[in-house]
Amino acid sequence: MLSNMLSNLDYQIFHLINEQANSFSVLNGLMRFFAEDAQYVFALALLLYWFSRNKLNRKMVISAVVSVCLGMGISFIIGHLVYRDRPFVTHAVIQLIKHPANASFPSDHAIGAFALAATFWLYGKRFRLLWLAAALLIGFSRIWTGVHYPSDIAAGALIGTLSAVSTRYLLLRFKHPRKLVNSCLNLYEKMEHKIWNRSNKPQADDA
C-alpha cells in the first residue's frame, strides 16, 4: 500500500517536471546538454586539476575517482537486486534523448555528478557551489528529458555524496590507504618529472 503510494507520488512528480518540456520548450536544448554532455565538463575539470601539478589537487582527483568507482559499484549491485524500468518503458513520456531501456534505479549520472561535486566541496574548491549547482541540474535534466524518475536521482545523489564522504574519511582517518595514495602519487610524479624535464630540454641544432 505504502509502496504504491510512493510509486504514484514519484510518477506524479516525474510527470509534472517532464511536462515542462512542452510548456518551456525553449529550455529543452539546455536540458539535453545537462542530461548528456555536462558530465564531460566534470571530466575536464578533473584533468585540469590533475595537470595543475598541485599535490593537493591530485589527491582530490584520486579521491574523486575512487568515490565515483565506489558509487558505480553500489549502483551495479542495486540495479541487479532492485530492477526498475525507465519511465519511457512503462509510461507515455516526452523523451528528449535516446537511451537504452536498462535499469533506471539508481541514476548513474547523478551518482557521478554528486560524487565529484561533493569531493570538490570537501576539498574546499573555490567554485564548489557552481559544481553543486551543475550536479543538481544534471539530475533535474534527466527527469525533464524523460529518462529517470525523481527517486532515481535522489538515490543517485545520496549514493554519490556518501561515496565521496566515505572516501574522504577513509583517506583522512586510515594510515594504510593514505600511504598507498601518497606512494602511488610520488611514483607518478617522479616519472612525470623525468618525462617533463626531458621534453623541455633544448634540442641540439642539426649539424
Side-chain angles (χ1 to χ4, degrees), residues 117-202:
T119 300
F120 294 162
W121 186 283
L122 291 169
Y123 277 80
K125 287 295 105 179
R126 191 177 190 181
F127 300 108
R128 56 189 179 274
L129 281 173
L130 289 178
W131 291 119
L132 178 59
L136 288 167
L137 278 169
I138 286 174
F140 184 77
S141 68
R142 302 289 288 181
I143 306 169
W144 183 292
T145 54
V147 296
H148 273 298
Y149 292 104
S151 60
D152 301 337
I153 302 303
L158 180 62
I159 292 169
T161 301
L162 289 177
S163 295
V165 172
S166 300
T167 303
R168 179 67 169 142
Y169 179 82
L170 184 73
L171 294 177
L172 280 175
R173 298 293 182 182
F174 293 92
K175 183 171 67 174
H176 293 300
R178 188 168 62 249
K179 283 181 68 177
L180 178 62
V181 168
N182 287 334
S183 297
C184 291
L185 191 53
N186 288 335
L187 179 62
Y188 169 84
E189 289 185 339
K190 284 179 183 177
M191 294 170 59
E192 181 189 56
H193 185 68
K194 289 179 181 178
I195 296 169
W196 187 280
N197 284 350
R198 189 179 301 149
S199 64
N200 283 306
K201 282 182 181 178

